[in-house]
Amino acid sequence: MGTPGLPSPLYPVGDERFERHGVRLLLKRDDLIHPSVPGNKWRKLVPNLAEAAGRTVLTFGGAYSNHLRATAAAGRLLGLPTVGVVRGDELAGLPLNPSLARCAADGMRLCFVSRAAYRRRNDPAALSGLLEEAGAGPGDGVLDPFVVPEGGSNEAAVRGCAELGGELREAAAGVDVAAVACGTGGTLAGLAAGLGPRQRALGVPVLRGGFLGRDTEALQRSTFGGRRGDWWLDDRFHHGGYARVPPELEAFAADFEDRHGLPVERLYVAKMLHALVTLVGEGAFARGSAVAAVVTGRPEPS
Ligand SMILES: *Cc1c(COP(=O)(O)O)cnc(C)c1O
């Protein structure tokens, strides 16, 4: 499936907002791992598709889900059939948006279900009914699918992301803090577990709600048997919630692109970078320390 760029590049960038406080900023370019399955999605999906071992991979997402798109691309690359259960049956009769069109072009079978049915997807008893209703049951030729949860965060994914921590642990640049944007917390759960004993991980939730500490801990518990690594969350940088990009965040991201020539993905990466610039200004990082910003994805081509 093409050679992924692992370990992903890690390099320092000169940014006066950090230098002023004696802090080094490094970029961990996970967005460069693979052209069609970038970033943390590669780290999370590849162990899952290996475990699927040829079975149809079935997963879930909203109409703009990065996870669905990455699953479709990874399935095509590895030669596994994929089924995407999409939230919202009102979408069924409409033209596909660009994200879903990409999924379909990669061979993913898309099944639209009502929001009520979608909410029951994690109940094993309800799931088979949901799949029948969606046209993705045994009667439709989908036998014994390998089910990956919405957002792709399960034990295999967390283990895959521990390798991200391992790369930063080994890095010659000497990373003290690694920062990552969080949706489900799977990437943070693995990253923190893979870091070395004197390193810390910062998670920046992009959704509102304050559930991420619990979810990340639950993922670490089911994967490793308990909490692992030294990690914390800062809940101040969601900018109103998922997919909200208010003008001040847009301006921040455009300015960061100008300064560093880095394409800044807005829904996750911009919020994490904004958190780091704010935190360094607040004196949150010790003088002489190095902060690695994990670039988990790249902007959609428009
Ligand atoms: C999916 C995604 C995340 C969130 O990863 P989780 O493991 O769900 O926390 C972060 N950044 C980008 C660019 C993503 O696409």
Side-chain angles (χ1 to χ4, degrees):
M1 63 194 286
T3 318
L6 289 172
S8 64
L10 174 72
Y11 58 82
V13 291
D15 189 310
E16 94 228 349
R17 296 168 294 187
F18 290 75
E19 285 160 1
R20 204 183 298 149
H21 296 272
V23 175
R24 284 182 298 136
L25 174 65
L26 305 154
L27 298 179
K28 177 65 171 162
R29 296 292 304 274
D30 265 19
D31 57 317
L32 300 177
I33 291 176
H34 193 281
S36 40
V37 191
N40 61 342
K41 299 299 184 283
W42 174 279
R43 296 192 189 268
K44 292 169 73 170
L45 277 167
V46 168
N48 271 291
L49 297 212
E51 216 170 296
R55 289 152 71 194
T56 295
V57 174
L58 184 142
T59 193
F60 308 89
Y64 292 92
S65 164
N66 284 345
H67 164 67
L68 276 188
R69 217 170 43 252
T71 304
R76 175 175 55 77
L77 292 162
L78 285 175
L80 296 182
T82 56
V83 174
V85 176
V86 185
R87 181 182 60 235
D89 49 2
E90 74 280 3
L91 300 169
L94 303 174
L96 299 177
N97 70 38
S99 182
L100 292 175
R102 190 69 244 150
C103 292
D106 280 332
M108 177 175 264
R109 185 196 304 200
L110 296 172
C111 301
F112 298 90
V113 298
S114 68
R115 278 149 211 279
Y118 191 89
R119 268 195 296 278
R120 294 192 297 272
R121 71 192 174 279
N122 293 331
D123 168 3
L127 178 63
S128 56
L130 184 158
L131 296 182
E132 284 300 339
E133 182 191 318
D140 311 288
V142 182
L143 302 166
D144 189 28
F146 182 85
V147 177
V148 176
E150 180 188 58
S153 286
N154 55 13
E155 290 78 14
V158 171
R159 285 186 202 287
C161 291
E163 291 174 21
L164 165 62
E167 290 175 20
L168 292 169
R169 176 186 185 135
E170 304 296 318
V175 171
D176 297 290
V177 174
V180 70
C182 302
T184 63
T187 306
L188 174 65
L191 164 66
L195 290 174
R198 275 174 300 281
Q199 297 177 305
R200 295 186 299 149
L202 163 65
V204 179
V206 307
L207 288 88
R208 297 169 69 104
F211 53 83
L212 210 86
R214 231 175 29 240
D215 287 4
T216 304
E217 228 173 288
L219 284 164
Q220 289 200 325
R221 210 175 316 114
S222 62
T223 309
F224 307 114
R227 194 174 163 119
R228 289 293 182 275
D230 186 356
W231 56 269
W232 85 105
L233 298 172
D234 195 323
D235 242 321
R236 293 177 293 162
F237 302 100
H238 55 67
H239 293 266
Y242 185 68
R244 299 287 165 84
V245 186
E248 71 277 7
L249 182 65
E250 176 56 37
F252 170 85
D255 172 69
F256 198 94
E257 291 181 328
D258 283 348
R259 287 172 190 254
H260 301 302
L262 172 81
V264 174
E265 187 276 337
R266 300 299 199 261
L267 307 193
Y268 291 95
V269 178
K271 293 179 181 182
M272 177 275 300
L273 292 170
H274 181 244
L276 286 183
V277 169
T278 305
L279 282 163
V280 75
E282 294 173 352
F285 307 119
R287 244 171 210 289
S289 63
V291 176
V294 181
V295 182
T296 41
R298 57 163 182 268
E300 280 308 291
S302 52

